[in-house]
Amino acid sequence: MNMCELIVKKKRGGRLNEKEIDWIVQGYTAGEIPDYQMSAMLMAICFTGMDEEETKDLTLSMAKSGDLMDLSAIHGKKIDKHSTGGVGDKTTLVIGPLAAAAGVPVAKMSGRGLGHTGGTIDKLESFHGFHTSLTPEQFIKNVNSIHIALAGQTANLAPADKKIYALRDVTGTVDQMSLIASSIMSKKLASGADGIVLDVKTGDGAFMKTLEDSKALAREMVQIGTLAGRDMSAVISDMDQPLGYAVGNALEVKEAIATLNGNGPEDLRELVLVLTSLMVVKAGKAKDIREARILEETLDSGKALQVMKEWIVAQGGTAEEVEHPDLLPQALCQEAVCAEKSGFVTKIHTEEIGRICMLLGGGRAKKGDPIDLSVGLVLRKKVGDPVHSGESLAILHANDREKLAEAKERLLKAYEIKKEPVAVRPLIWKILDGTEAE
Ligand code: URA
């Protein structure tokens, strides 16, 4: 086969068969196909798309590009959760310990930031010493003893996705449905959880901007997982404004800890409870979502916070930073951005908020770039809030004065303020399971 011919075929809207897809995936993973050709292929896929069969073939080929994790030594039904990516989306940092405190074996595989969205591993690395390079034995031992372990993508777990993910991040090829579905589901299938809860974001800060596209993505992933014998659910949740108030790695960790302390933002708390309820039901720890409301007690009693400490310590960090989040990385400058007129916040350009965080150093511009864990922003106003001229819209956290000046200008433009308020969009749009997705 010839990669250039396959790129041209895809560019012209042709479909790739199972053998061609597997040849590309395994060839790229082995280093036989260079980045520049794979980048061109990814861009062709962005322009002409893939059908359901191609997406399934791509997913299965990526899943088998490395080892398939055997989690059978973990007691009980193992549940994973994955988000399609958002701005200020720190749900895993709360859901992991909460589900674990409720007795769910959480065997979680996470990734790094992608495009304008943050990644759980980057966020967790705000804890000094925290690492995700667990051996399979350590991973299993941690889930059995404290009910939670979070692994990064080790060299051999869906390595095709690891390489393609990093390439997509820096080639403008993230926001394509088949690439997202195969990226997420290849990792999930390789990492061996029995049940998977997907948080599919919709809106300006998501990769899928419309509800229709988000539903299609959710259906596609649930179908692939169900076909592979996994117990699947997907929640379509709103990402037309950042989740919670904090955007940026260490800032989000602090907000997650506040939520585990019972002082978190309402939207984050609600989404966490819905997603964790589904995990609890899948693990057989509650009959239905209503019975899973007991999770509120687990969250408010501090039990989940205690699990977070054990988890961070089990993966190289210290409990002290969970108890005193001020010890986490802090930026040198903190500056308020103030409204220039009075009215109501009617829109927050959420992707732009993610990009402002990247500009400040919170995301990657090139493959392997280091990121600044301390920078980002904390919103003071969200959609629907009244605002007076001169009042603070957000606080920027920065380490570079020039970038701070540009971020201030862009942040002002990212807020729309009008005389009349608008209806606030629902946080949860739809919950989908394996039967509905057929
Ligand atoms: N999360 C992933 O793991 N991959 C994507 O493509 C998007 C979100």
Side-chain angles (χ1 to χ4, degrees):
M1 284 186 222
N2 178 307
M3 185 63 176
C4 191
E5 281 171 16
L6 294 177
I7 294 168
V8 172
K9 180 175 177 184
K10 190 33 97 185
K11 184 183 75 170
R12 293 183 178 153
R15 69 177 304 286
L16 301 173
N17 66 35
E18 188 184 343
K19 281 209 177 90
E20 288 166 338
I21 289 176
D22 201 45
W23 182 81
I24 295 167
V25 168
Q26 308 312 331
Y28 181 60
T29 309
E32 289 151 10
I33 293 172
D35 278 357
Y36 56 84
Q37 282 191 316
M38 194 61 185
S39 306
M41 175 57 85
L42 292 169
M43 192 55 86
I45 293 171
C46 283
F47 285 142
T48 63
M50 282 185 135
D51 65 20
E52 277 180 20
E53 191 73 15
E54 287 176 294
T55 308
K56 179 183 72 57
D57 291 341
L58 180 61
T59 307
L60 298 182
S61 178
M62 281 160 65
K64 71 173 171 64
S65 63
D67 299 335
L68 299 180
M69 221 164 153
D70 177 8
L71 299 183
S72 57
I74 295 177
H75 319 307
K77 207 168 155 198
K78 283 76 64 185
I79 312 295
D80 197 349
K81 168 257 161 203
H82 203 94
S83 157
T84 57
V87 178
D89 179 14
K90 68 282 291 174
T91 52
T92 295
L93 306 178
V94 186
I95 288 172
L98 178 59
V104 178
V106 181
K108 178 87 186 79
M109 257 271 312
S110 286
R112 297 193 178 274
L114 185 66
H116 66 279
T117 70
T120 301
I121 294 184
D122 293 330
K123 291 172 201 181
L124 281 166
E125 284 178 354
S126 303
F127 290 107
H128 296 95
F130 186 94
H131 67 88
T132 52
S133 45
L134 300 170
T135 63
E137 292 74 29
Q138 280 170 321
F139 185 87
I140 288 169
K141 185 166 154 269
N142 290 3
V143 182
N144 277 336
S145 55
I146 58 169
H147 283 143
I148 180 166
L150 184 139
Q153 215 167 341
T154 52
N156 240 354
L157 205 127
D161 174 61
K162 190 173 183 175
K163 275 190 88 172
I164 295 171
Y165 189 97
L167 191 63
R168 285 168 60 216
D169 191 26
V170 293
T171 53
T173 53
V174 171
D175 54 349
Q176 202 285 329
M177 197 182 305
S178 299
L179 297 180
I180 297 175
S182 57
S183 162
I184 293 179
M185 290 312 297
S186 63
K187 286 190 282 259
K188 300 294 109 177
L189 298 185
S191 61
D194 306 303
I196 300 159
V197 176
L198 299 168
D199 180 9
V200 179
K201 306 288 191 189
T202 192
D204 186 82
F207 294 123
M208 297 293 113
K209 309 288 185 203
T210 66
L211 187 58
E212 205 182 34
D213 283 351
S214 304
K215 277 187 190 161
L217 173 63
R219 255 196 312 272
E220 189 131 12
M221 290 195 290
V222 169
Q223 266 171 6
I224 292 172
T226 306
L227 216 71
R230 308 303 159 93
D231 182 2
M232 302 292 301
S233 287
V235 173
I236 301 183
S237 72
D238 200 57
M239 187 33 71
D240 213 44
Q241 59 175 332
L243 186 66
Y245 292 93
V247 180
N249 296 286
L251 293 168
E252 292 188 38
V253 172
K254 288 177 195 171
E255 188 163 79
I257 294 173
T259 306
L260 287 163
N261 266 313
N263 304 318
E266 206 36 57
D267 58 348
L268 174 60
R269 181 181 163 92
E270 188 187 335
L271 182 57
V272 158
L273 288 171
V274 170
L275 292 167
T276 317
S277 301
L278 290 166
M279 294 172 76
V280 167
V281 172
K282 285 200 186 310
K285 303 287 174 191
K287 260 202 324 283
D288 53 36
I289 295 195
R290 241 170 300 140
E291 194 181 296
R293 287 317 275 195
I294 193 171
L295 286 170
E296 289 186 54
E297 200 269 322
T298 313
L299 191 58
D300 295 333
S301 65
K303 279 187 217 152
L305 183 69
Q306 182 55 32
V307 173
M308 181 177 224
K309 285 185 211 167
E310 291 168 18
W311 171 34
I312 299 304
V313 171
Q315 296 198 217
T318 64
E320 220 190 335
E321 286 182 335
V322 182
E323 286 157 5
H324 305 287
D326 288 349
L327 296 172
L328 293 166
Q330 303 248 21
L332 295 175
C333 324
Q334 293 174 21
E335 255 186 60
V337 180
C338 298
E340 292 178 337
K341 60 179 177 183
S342 300
F344 292 88
V345 177
T346 55
K347 179 153 186 65
I348 300 176
H349 292 271
T350 308
E351 180 172 338
E352 176 64 357
I353 297 287
R355 299 213 174 273
I356 291 169
C357 180
M358 290 176 77
L359 161 75
L360 292 169
R364 295 178 181 80
K366 290 197 302 308
K367 244 169 120 175
D369 270 357
I371 56 173
D372 185 341
L373 297 167
S374 67
V375 299
L377 49 147
V378 180
L379 308 186
R380 283 288 173 81
K381 298 286 177 187
K382 295 208 35 180
V383 174
D385 287 348
V387 58
H388 294 290
S389 173
E391 236 188 318
S392 150
L393 295 172
I395 310 288
L396 293 170
H397 292 242
N399 283 319
D400 178 313
R401 289 255 155 224
E402 243 173 67
K403 288 179 181 166
L404 177 63
E406 187 182 339
K408 264 177 117 168
E409 237 172 75
R410 286 173 59 172
L411 192 107
L412 264 179
K413 290 193 193 127
Y415 268 81
E416 284 185 22
I417 298 171
K418 301 230 164 90
K419 281 216 174 80
E420 298 299 324
V422 285
V424 179
R425 287 161 52 113
L427 178 65
I428 309 291
W429 286 94
K430 192 168 173 52
I431 301 180
L432 205 86
D433 67 23
T435 51
E436 282 169 278
E438 281 160 12

